[in-house]
Amino acid sequence: MRSFIFIAARLALFTSTISADSILSEPLSSQQILPDNFKPLQVFQNVNLLRNTNLEKGYVRETVNVVIENIDSKPQDQYYIPFAADVIDKVGGLEVRDKKNPGPPFKTEIVEYDPYSPTQFFRTTLPQPLPPKSQLTLSITYHILSTLTPLPFKIAQIERQYLRHTFSTYTPSAYLTLKQKTKLKFSSPNVPDVVGGSPEKQGTTFTYGPYNDPVPAGALEPASVRYEFTKPIIHATLLERDLEISHWGGNLAIEERYWLTNQGAHLKNNFNRVQWAQTERGFGYTPPTSALRELNVPLKVGSLNPYYTDDIGNVSTSHYRSNKKEAILELKPRYPVFGGWKYSFRIGWDANLKSFLRVLKTPEGGHVLKIPFLEGPKMGEGVSYGKVEVRVILPEGATNVKFETEVPLVAVEETMHRTFMDTVGRTTLKLTAMNVVDEARDKPLIVTYDYPFSAAFRKPVTIFLGIAAVFATAWGIGRLDVSIGKQA
């Protein structure tokens, strides 16, 4: 199980601009297995480090800005980032960049040296080796899912919810740190319990440090905070997103299937519908609750024919607002989703294909499709996704499929999707990502493919031949002599 976690987390660090055919025959990454006694060489030191931890949503978002210095006698280009073994499989969206020179993220991969070690590492390769005594400012960003725990674990229906965040006031590092500081940002100033450290409190921000004394590599100073978060912790264990392209209809059909759960505090007693109805009316005021009441899904202006169904059927408690400036699909589940409860549903809509597709003037009939990798609900408390599967269903006859996306992927697959009146089927590109958050909303997915002029007539010819075959069969049957009697 531990090995599977390593592989999944390792693969999640790669973005792609490659042909789907090549992906099927080559591994997505080369796993680095190091000796059991591996320890990162002390060739760097952290001159100054600032960690910002944002707890305003239902998951942890961290940004670490660190000035590193090469203290070795030779140029170095490999920097290691440690994580606890029970956390590394929950890390997503890890990116390392040059803070002073914005550009594409550096190559980052997970390395395995001892599956049972309490600490595991990501390894970042700098684009250019850092010369001795030289410094570089790194910006390291990532998010961690499913680590915030409700405390108490069970609450009353209208009781406030509190979450506990456990961390180290010293930022975990594989290198000596000369000076550092940690900041925590909450969504509410109500933080009743603080264990470990002596933070400076200013509004909704806690500051630990600065620590001006050198902190050795691997040093930790455990601490925890308990803070109010009376909002749902929305987590989709699985999101399946289909995008079907129709050149004949000029339409982009989108459908999303969600398996949602609320990771907040569970109900102490049975659900009281009367009490809930009273809080829903609110008499001019709707009190905060840890239950999920509704979801708002922003769509592209001009979207048409939205629908919202669940396991029972059509859900009428939805509203679609559309004008020249915005389009929002407002969803209200059949029941409030409290902590530990689950709710699965699907939504879909149509969009004008011209807004997403560009045709290239090439002999092969090149097409460029630019669509959001992730859309979905946009909520103040945030939405996290354990697994996201995106299927791009191209027209029948599309070839030479390539793609590019900034979202780290763990798997890519090219298959055939067969539907009504297809012959060989439609080329389908399936992309899988793990540990995704709503901050990936609207990150582009660019798909290029060749669709020759002749392929556009494949379906009309198929329909014509099918109808002709029916008439020919009927004519042939009509010419048969099925009468009973003697022949003349």
Side-chain angles (χ1 to χ4, degrees):
M1 180 66 181
R2 180 72 63 87
S3 298
F4 171 78
I5 291 172
F6 286 141
I7 294 173
R10 165 176 50 80
L11 296 181
L13 296 169
F14 291 87
T15 56
S16 305
T17 312
I18 41 184
S19 168
D21 292 336
S22 65
I23 290 178
L24 297 177
S25 59
E26 297 179 4
L28 291 177
S29 70
S30 56
Q31 185 178 14
Q32 302 296 322
I33 302 178
L34 302 176
D36 292 346
N37 58 353
F38 165 76
K39 287 185 179 180
L41 297 176
Q42 296 301 298
V43 295
F44 290 105
Q45 69 177 8
N46 301 322
V47 178
N48 195 1
L49 185 150
L50 172 62
R51 175 176 58 168
N52 291 293
T53 302
N54 192 303
L55 300 173
E56 294 179 305
K57 294 190 175 184
Y59 51 85
V60 180
R61 295 179 292 165
E62 290 202 339
T63 300
V64 178
N65 297 319
V66 54
V67 179
I68 65 172
E69 180 181 359
N70 182 1
I71 58 175
D72 196 45
S73 59
K74 299 179 181 179
Q76 300 292 333
D77 65 350
Q78 293 185 352
Y79 185 85
Y80 288 86
I81 306 170
F83 284 94
D86 59 346
V87 172
I88 199 166
D89 63 307
K90 303 174 183 177
V91 175
L94 192 148
E95 293 183 345
V96 182
R97 302 174 186 265
D98 184 345
K99 184 173 177 58
K100 295 184 178 180
N101 297 297
F106 302 158
K107 178 183 177 182
T108 305
E109 59 187 345
I110 190 172
V111 293
E112 180 181 351
Y113 68 99
D114 180 4
Y116 300 99
S117 172
T119 304
Q120 302 297 329
F121 296 94
F122 287 102
R123 183 175 65 186
T124 295
T125 303
L126 306 180
Q128 298 293 335
L130 190 64
K133 299 183 180 179
S134 297
Q135 295 183 351
L136 177 66
T137 303
L138 299 180
S139 176
I140 306 170
T141 59
Y142 54 89
H143 48 261
I144 307 175
L145 276 57
S146 305
T147 57
L148 301 175
T149 55
L151 189 66
F153 182 71
K154 293 185 177 182
I155 59 176
Q157 188 167 306
I158 58 173
E159 189 177 349
R160 294 183 181 273
Q161 176 180 260
Y162 292 86
L163 302 180
R164 181 176 63 183
H165 173 55
T166 303
F167 63 105
S168 170
T169 58
Y170 295 157
T171 302
S173 177
Y175 307 98
L176 174 71
T177 303
L178 302 183
K179 183 180 179 180
Q180 64 176 301
K181 186 193 308 186
T182 293
K183 289 186 176 181
L184 270 61
K185 176 68 174 176
F186 302 96
S187 60
S188 167
N190 186 7
V191 186
D193 296 330
V194 179
V195 178
S198 300
E200 177 186 343
K201 305 176 184 179
Q202 186 174 4
T204 59
T205 302
F206 282 16
T207 302
Y208 292 82
Y211 301 109
N212 296 316
D213 296 330
V215 177
L220 300 175
E221 189 67 25
S224 66
V225 290
R226 178 173 169 266
Y227 60 98
E228 181 186 347
F229 191 86
T230 311
K231 302 175 184 179
I233 304 178
I234 308 172
H235 178 73
T237 56
L238 175 62
L239 164 61
E240 294 178 344
R241 173 171 161 85
D242 290 350
L243 303 106
E244 185 172 350
I245 291 89
S246 172
H247 283 206
W248 274 96
N251 185 64
L252 174 63
I254 303 172
E255 180 175 281
E256 298 181 339
R257 298 175 291 277
Y258 292 83
W259 284 262
L260 278 187
T261 183
N262 185 350
Q263 295 182 328
H266 292 208
L267 284 180
K268 184 187 301 183
N269 303 309
N270 293 331
F271 172 60
N272 188 322
R273 185 170 293 277
V274 175
Q275 187 182 55
W276 177 256
Q278 292 174 345
T279 58
E280 278 284 88
R281 294 189 181 93
F283 301 102
Y285 167 71
T286 302
T289 176
S290 60
L292 174 61
R293 298 174 182 267
E294 61 182 4
L295 294 165
N296 296 323
V297 183
L299 304 180
K300 187 175 179 63
V301 175
S303 298
L304 301 171
N305 307 319
Y307 59 88
Y308 169 35
T309 64
D310 59 12
D311 296 338
I312 298 176
N314 181 63
V315 184
S316 60
T317 53
S318 63
H319 181 61
Y320 179 55
R321 295 190 292 108
S322 177
N323 53 47
K324 294 182 179 181
K325 295 183 179 180
E326 64 177 4
I328 299 178
L329 180 59
E330 299 173 344
L331 311 176
K332 191 171 183 179
R334 293 182 184 272
Y335 51 85
V337 183
F338 285 91
W341 292 16
K342 299 179 181 181
Y343 183 63
S344 57
F345 63 94
R346 70 176 60 196
I347 58 175
W349 63 93
D350 295 329
N352 190 341
L353 186 60
K354 292 183 179 179
S355 302
F356 304 90
L357 187 67
R358 183 163 61 94
V359 181
L360 304 179
K361 296 181 179 180
T362 60
E364 298 80 11
H367 290 68
V368 179
L369 180 70
K370 185 178 181 181
I371 49 181
F373 184 90
L374 178 70
E375 290 181 90
K378 187 175 183 180
M379 308 292 290
E381 56 269 30
V383 183
S384 61
Y385 303 86
K387 183 179 182 180
V388 178
E389 293 182 350
V390 177
R391 289 198 312 164
V392 182
I393 305 173
L394 300 173
E396 189 176 25
T399 58
N400 193 26
V401 180
K402 299 180 181 179
F403 75 95
E404 178 181 353
T405 180
E406 298 177 2
V407 178
L409 304 175
V410 299
V412 180
E413 183 181 2
E414 184 177 334
T415 60
M416 302 302 293
H417 176 76
R418 291 176 175 82
T419 184
F420 181 69
M421 294 302 291
D422 283 343
T423 53
V424 298
R426 305 183 185 187
T427 303
T428 300
L429 183 64
K430 182 179 179 181
L431 311 176
T432 304
M434 304 288 289
N435 297 337
V436 182
V437 298
D438 54 350
E439 292 183 354
R441 273 185 53 86
D442 301 327
K443 280 193 174 183
L445 168 61
I446 300 175
V447 180
T448 63
Y449 59 95
D450 294 338
Y451 189 65
F453 182 76
S454 58
F457 292 93
R458 183 191 298 263
K459 189 174 288 292
V461 170
T462 302
I463 295 175
F464 172 78
L465 293 177
I467 295 175
V470 171
F471 278 100
T473 302
W475 178 83
I477 293 175
R479 297 285 296 176
L480 294 175
D481 184 6
V482 295
S483 59
I484 302 174
K486 296 182 178 180
Q487 295 184 352

